Amino acid sequence: MPRANRHYIPGYVWHITHRCHKKEFLLKFARDRRLWLQWLFEARKRYGLSVLNYMVTSNHIHLLVRDNGERDVISNSVQLFAGRMGQEYNQRKNRKGAYWEDRYHATAVETDKHLLQCMIYIDMNMVRAGVVKHPSEWPFSGYNEIQAPRERYALLDYEGLKELLNVKAMGDLAGAYRGWIEDALVRGDRGRDGKWTESVAVGSASFVNETKEKLGNAGKGREGIGADGSYELRETPAPYHFGPRK
C-alpha cells in the first residue's frame, strides 16, 4: 500500500468512504462483507482505532472514526483492512488487479448536531438504496450494535460515542438513536447528500473556517458553502482525501 497523504489534523472525527474498483459489486456477498468487518475489528484491536459507526454495502464502505491523537492510526488501519481485504479476495477468486478505487475520501465532521446527522446518514444507506425498509434489517452496519452493544468483538467505541453524544449509558443512547432513526424515516430523509461524501469538512461556519486554517497551504482553493445551517468545505477541482492511495 502507498504512503499516507500528508494532510493530517489531530483530534478530528472523520467520515471515510471507500469504493470498490470501478464501482464493481465486490462486496455483494455476505461472506465478503463479514471479512471486511473482521479486518476492521483487527485494526481496532491492533491500533486502537476509535470507530463511531460503519456501513458495508455491496460496492463501498462508510466508516466514521475519531482520531485519537496518534498520527498514523487511521492511515495504518485503512492500509490493514483495505489491503488484506483485496489480497484475500483476489487469492480466493484467482483475480488480479485493484480491489479498491485509488484513494478513500475523508470528510471532517464537527462533533455537534452534524455528528449525529452523519451517523444517521450512514445507517440510512441501504434504506436509500431500496434494499431494506429499516436500518435494523441490514446487519452490516453500526445501527444494530448501538441497539445491542457487544461484550466481545465490539467494533464500536462505546465510551467515545457516549462522550461525543453526551449520554451516560448505552441504553440511553440506544433508545435515543432509535428515535432519531424513526424520525428520519418519517421525514423521508432518503436522498443522497453529497456533503457527507464529497466535502473536506462539514459543520458550522467557524468549524469550516478553522479546518481551512489548519490545512494551511493545503487549504487553498477550498470554499465554504452554507446550506440549512450547515457549511461545507470543498476543494477544486479534486476532492480532498485523507489517507493512503491504492
Side-chain angles (χ1 to χ4, degrees), residues 33-85:
R33 294 192 287 268
R34 284 194 294 267
L35 179 61
W36 187 88
L37 290 173
Q38 289 170 10
W39 282 112
L40 176 62
F41 174 77
E42 182 63 27
R44 175 157 164 68
K45 182 173 66 173
R46 188 178 301 187
Y47 302 117
L49 182 67
S50 174
V51 180
L52 304 177
N53 206 1
Y54 58 88
M55 164 67 69
V56 191
T57 77
S58 295
N59 67 354
H60 70 279
I61 63 93
H62 292 257
L63 184 62
L64 190 64
V65 294
R66 183 187 191 185
D67 177 77
N68 64 4
E70 296 183 21
R71 185 177 183 87
D72 296 325
V73 167
I74 296 176
S75 59
N76 285 342
S77 296
V78 175
Q79 287 180 7
L80 176 67
F81 51 68
R84 293 297 181 88
M85 181 72 207

Side-chain angles (χ1 to χ4, degrees), residues 8-244:
Y8 174 74
I9 308 176
Y12 269 46
V13 168
W14 299 92
H15 175 216
I16 293 171
T17 51
H18 205 182
R19 296 190 178 277
C20 295
H21 185 60
K22 296 182 179 180
K23 299 182 180 180
E24 295 181 68
F25 290 90
L26 301 179
L27 289 161
K28 65 181 178 180
F29 295 116
R31 172 181 182 177
D32 297 308
R33 294 192 287 268
R34 284 194 294 267
L35 179 61
W36 187 88
L37 290 173
Q38 289 170 10
W39 282 112
L40 176 62
F41 174 77
E42 182 63 27
R44 175 157 164 68
K45 182 173 66 173
R46 188 178 301 187
Y47 302 117
L49 182 67
S50 174
V51 180
L52 304 177
N53 206 1
Y54 58 88
M55 164 67 69
V56 191
T57 77
S58 295
N59 67 354
H60 70 279
I61 63 93
H62 292 257
L63 184 62
L64 190 64
V65 294
R66 183 187 191 185
D67 177 77
N68 64 4
E70 296 183 21
R71 185 177 183 87
D72 296 325
V73 167
I74 296 176
S75 59
N76 285 342
S77 296
V78 175
Q79 287 180 7
L80 176 67
F81 51 68
R84 293 297 181 88
M85 181 72 207
Q87 290 170 6
E88 293 190 20
Y89 183 91
N90 282 355
Q91 288 174 1
R92 191 174 76 248
K93 298 286 188 178
N94 194 25
R95 176 183 180 272
K96 295 181 179 180
Y99 184 90
W100 301 100
E101 288 291 343
D102 183 47
R103 285 182 167 192
Y104 68 82
H105 182 93
T107 299
V109 180
E110 188 170 12
T111 56
D112 58 359
K113 65 178 182 179
H114 297 93
L115 174 62
L116 177 59
Q117 291 170 359
C118 186
M119 290 178 62
I120 293 171
Y121 183 79
I122 291 171
D123 280 322
M124 290 285 287
N125 196 283
M126 299 310 285
V127 176
R128 287 193 300 275
V131 177
V132 298
K133 294 182 179 180
H134 192 280
S136 62
E137 299 171 11
W138 187 255
F140 309 100
S141 73
Y143 178 83
N144 286 322
E145 189 173 345
I146 290 175
Q147 297 304 307
R150 304 171 184 174
E151 293 186 5
R152 299 179 62 192
Y153 307 114
L155 289 171
L156 295 180
D157 177 2
Y158 302 139
E159 294 303 318
L161 277 171
K162 288 189 292 184
E163 177 188 346
L164 291 171
L165 295 176
N166 195 28
V167 295
K168 294 183 178 180
M170 283 303 296
D172 297 334
L173 175 57
Y177 193 63
R178 186 165 58 249
W180 293 327
I181 287 288
E182 295 299 333
D183 288 343
L185 290 168
V186 171
R187 291 195 307 268
D189 294 351
R190 304 182 186 186
R192 182 180 178 275
D193 191 343
K195 72 171 178 278
W196 299 117
T197 56
E198 299 165 8
S199 298
V200 178
V202 176
S204 64
S206 59
F207 175 78
V208 165
N209 289 330
E210 180 183 359
T211 302
K212 186 173 183 178
E213 290 177 3
K214 287 182 176 179
L215 287 172
N217 289 334
K220 291 182 177 180
R222 294 172 170 86
E223 181 181 0
I225 305 172
D228 299 328
S230 296
Y231 287 79
E232 303 170 49
L233 185 62
R234 295 196 179 227
E235 73 175 339
T236 305
Y240 172 77
H241 297 276
F242 175 92

